[in-house]
Amino acid sequence: VKNLRDGTITSPRGFLAGAAAAGIKTKGGPDLGILYSEKPCVAAGRFTKNRIKAAPVQWCQDRVSSGKAQAVIINAGCANACTGEQGLKDAKAMAQAAAKKLGISVNSVLVASTGVIGKKLPVDRIASGVKKIKLSANGGHELARAIMTTDTHPKEIAVACEEYGFTVAGIAKGAGMIHPDMATMLSFLTTDARIDARLLDRLLGEAVGASLNMITVDGDTSTNDTVLILANGAGGVVKAGTKAADAFAKALFKVCTYLARSIAADGEGATRLIEVTVDGAKSLADARMAARTIVGSPLVKSAVHGRDPNWGRIIAALGRSGAEFNPKKVDLYLDKIQLMSAGEPVLFDKKTASAAMGKDEVKVRVALNGGKHSATAWGCDLSAEYVAINSEYTT
Amino acid sequence: VKNLRDGTITSPRGFLAGAAAAGIKTKGGPDLGILYSEKPCVAAGRFTKNRIKAAPVQWCQDRVSSGKAQAVIINAGCANACTGEQGLKDAKAMAQAAAKKLGISVNSVLVASTGVIGKKLPVDRIASGVKKIKLSANGGHELARAIMTTDTHPKEIAVACEEYGFTVAGIAKGAGMIHPDMATMLSFLTTDARIDARLLDRLLGEAVGASLNMITVDGDTSTNDTVLILANGAGGVVKAGTKAADAFAKALFKVCTYLARSIAADGEGATRLIEVTVDGAKSLADARMAARTIVGSPLVKSAVHGRDPNWGRIIAALGRSGAEFNPKKVDLYLDKIQLMSAGEPVLFDKKTASAAMGKDEVKVRVALNGGKHSATAWGCDLSAEYVAINSEYTT
């Protein structure tokens, strides 16, 4: 599988997209978009495990269970969460507006929203906005922009597998309230692979577990976390147990990991990406728990921000993660620099360590030396800008 | 039970304390102190559940299990955590220095440290510092100052129960790496009550569970969390199942709650205290989990900082807390203002709500209406100052 230059969610055959400024965001700009497949698709999704689920999440869960869909309508500026019965009606109205425009059944339209919680969806503006949207085969870029909130740039990617004749692509939005639990706040994937719903669902779950579910910006799991994949079958056949399925899994993982890393690196107020790998764990769950706890620690995040090799915070976060390990076996590395060996501090050059913490990608590796499992998690540094962004969001 | 004016840890009969500047903190100032009881004491403690435990925590755990102690030596500026075998030797050397000065057995001396993780304890400076300490019956204030790191003021309190003839007092330090799991980073309690070790241990556990374990500053559980109580028996008798025991439990809870609230309000960079009460929960564990998750949410903390009544973040944090509840039954209040009723938004005046978020104590109440259990948790707002403090700590 290889990256497509300028790839986006409409790179796989048969997908169109477009966006418009519907006046949902108070600041203006594109805030409404549609993703549409010319053919009906096999679909799979993963949604927030937050007990409070936004109306569009509830709408999608009901639809995706059928394994079929043909379009997704997405808005930024209003999350349509904690909006009660009216919220569910509004999510349906939003689907209906798209269904009417596209001439398809309302049940083929998935819905996603992001923005302020507790505000009612402006359905009239959405209905007018839908009319303004022009769909095109290159419209993925527009759509990726329209779903942004505090993101500083769109996140999009497409990878092609020539051998088995398919492309997998995706877009995502992140920035804040990012601690995905089963999915991340708005990630959309497309593929032209011909794949059945069951296999698609399994492979999506595997890819998301090791990518989008391994990032954190602020530890706050959103009410709207949604990842959706539509497969329209316009390309090569992918069957369970074949090499094509392996290639597809690899492509999907590549797309999901790219989006996950992009979301982490573009976290609210972030100036750099932090990548934490934990290996030698007794179980995959332990490795994942440890990696994500370390990368999410406000003290580790602040230390990275200040290029301060205060590695004790990494070890303290590891210790509280809940992962099982023997403290006397732990090795710790920052980039190539060893900071701890078998649980004891190692003398290191502070200037070199500080420089490693100033890189665009700060890499931490913790070797637990107690098993065979490993996991990588991604996050970002904590800056004063994060506080500024989140002190003045709704007002 | 009533508060004693100017009360501190030496307010109960028979306790002495003192502190000195030993040169452990790079910035200078008092950083070493001793708490001493003229009589041998019954002792109990609670320590961090972090898998990485600092050397002084290991020392204390071994000693406290005997239920006896007579002194505590405490330093700031170096946590003596992640220091391996040498760290354990150094903790013992610190206890020995105090034992020698006081003329008691080394096994009667408890040890606590706070500061940078991974740095070796400067035992020579501690030995010299110990000689400089002058113990006095009013030395609790000095001791409370000496254990501060990024705290802006000492935390101390004493409450007296005239009816049963005892006083309970305590000091604490907090500020950063505060998400106590079984205890908080350095809290010391004294009482002159005549109480057995078993009852003391049980009542300490109950008090800590509802107070010090219900605060969070940054979600990072420290490697050094320690709460110790010494009871020297110089005052009234407290036996299990008596009214005196009820009064003692009440006094202990009052002291612990005061210290817990003080730590939360003085969290690194904090400008105000946030108090979250969750009631109507199915279990105490659910109520506690929900309250502490909400008060620890970076998005909630940032919103409070900016006086932004973005209540959706409170509900999102509740949803991810793991607590069981029915989203359609949730009521939400900010101070006296209702924001949500039976899961639906309520219209409220934004200015009044914003003003409520600007108070020194911001009070949130979540009624789950699904059971009889309630819990209160305390935290603080998140400011740019938190990032500044933690970006430049070791360097």
Side-chain angles (χ1 to χ4, degrees), chain B residues 85-125:
Chain B
E85 290 300 321
Q86 188 61 46
L88 290 171
K89 284 180 195 161
D90 294 346
K92 186 174 181 181
M94 190 166 154
Q96 274 166 333
K100 197 176 159 194
K101 180 188 183 82
L102 304 169
I104 58 175
S105 153
V106 65
N107 284 318
S108 303
V109 181
L110 303 175
V111 177
S113 299
T114 174
V116 182
I117 296 175
K119 228 174 70 174
K120 283 189 180 165
L121 205 65
V123 278
D124 290 349
R125 288 184 194 182

Side-chain angles (χ1 to χ4, degrees), chain A residues 192-216:
Chain A
D192 46 19
R194 208 152 156 186
I195 185 169
D196 67 66
R198 201 171 148 190
L199 180 60
L200 187 67
D201 183 72
R202 177 163 68 78
L203 296 180
L204 178 66
E206 287 172 12
V208 166
S211 58
L212 293 163
N213 272 2
M214 287 305 289
I215 61 172
T216 188

Side-chain angles (χ1 to χ4, degrees), chain A residues 50-52 82-85 116-118 177 218-221 223 268 297-299 302-303 305-306 308-313 315-317 319-320 323-325 327-328 340 343-345 350 382-384 386-387 390-395, chain B residues 50-52 82-85 116-118 177 218-221 223 268 297-299 302-303 305-306 308-313 315-317 319-320 323-325 327-328 340 343-345 350 382-384 386-387 390-395:
Chain A
N50 195 309
R51 196 167 274 264
I52 302 284
C82 299
T83 42
E85 291 300 322
V116 182
I117 296 175
M177 207 174 266
D218 46 23
D220 273 315
T221 303
T223 49
E268 285 175 336
S297 154
L299 290 171
S302 301
H305 186 66
D308 176 1
N310 192 343
W311 58 267
R313 294 177 177 176
I315 295 298
R320 74 166 162 93
E324 238 190 271
F325 66 92
K328 290 185 180 169
M340 195 176 211
E344 305 252 0
K350 280 211 171 177
L382 177 62
S383 71
Y386 174 88
V387 180
N390 286 302
S391 300
E392 299 158 3
Y393 187 66
T394 61
T395 46
Chain B
N50 194 310
R51 196 166 275 264
I52 302 284
C82 299
T83 43
E85 290 300 321
V116 182
I117 296 175
M177 206 174 267
D218 46 23
D220 274 315
T221 303
T223 49
E268 286 175 336
S297 154
L299 290 170
S302 301
H305 187 65
D308 177 0
N310 193 343
W311 58 267
R313 294 176 177 177
I315 295 299
R320 74 166 163 93
E324 238 189 271
F325 66 92
K328 291 185 179 168
M340 196 175 210
E344 306 251 359
K350 280 212 170 177
L382 177 62
S383 71
Y386 174 88
V387 180
N390 285 302
S391 301
E392 299 157 3
Y393 188 66
T394 63
T395 46

Side-chain angles (χ1 to χ4, degrees), chain A residues 96-271:
Chain A
Q96 273 165 333
K100 196 176 160 196
K101 180 188 182 82
L102 304 168
I104 59 176
S105 152
V106 65
N107 285 318
S108 302
V109 181
L110 302 174
V111 177
S113 298
T114 173
V116 182
I117 296 175
K119 229 174 69 175
K120 282 190 183 165
L121 204 64
V123 279
D124 291 348
R125 289 184 193 182
I126 286 174
S128 325
V130 162
K131 291 177 191 159
K132 287 197 266 175
I133 295 173
K134 290 195 178 68
L135 299 169
S136 79
N138 199 32
H141 298 303
E142 260 181 62
L143 183 62
R145 286 209 165 270
I147 64 174
M148 288 163 56
T149 53
T150 48
D151 305 64
T152 67
H153 61 83
K155 285 104 189 153
E156 42 191 345
I157 185 178
V159 302
C161 174
E162 280 183 18
E163 195 176 355
Y164 300 106
F166 64 78
T167 298
V168 180
I171 59 172
K173 76 139 298 242
M177 207 174 266
I178 298 296
H179 185 81
D181 191 1
M182 267 309 107
T184 190
M185 179 49 181
L186 304 205
S187 193
F188 305 98
L189 311 169
T190 56
T191 179
D192 46 19
R194 208 152 156 186
I195 185 169
D196 67 66
R198 201 171 148 190
L199 180 60
L200 187 67
D201 183 72
R202 177 163 68 78
L203 296 180
L204 178 66
E206 287 172 12
V208 166
S211 58
L212 293 163
N213 272 2
M214 287 305 289
I215 61 172
T216 188
V217 168
D218 46 23
D220 273 315
T221 303
S222 158
T223 49
N224 290 47
D225 284 351
T226 296
V227 55
L228 293 169
I229 184 163
L230 300 185
N232 67 5
V237 174
V238 172
K239 282 196 174 158
T242 63
K243 283 191 180 165
D246 293 345
F248 184 80
K250 202 172 154 189
L252 190 59
F253 180 68
K254 198 166 178 178
V255 167
C256 288
T257 303
Y258 172 84
L259 294 174
R261 286 173 59 104
S262 302
I263 291 171
D266 193 32
E268 285 175 336
T271 68

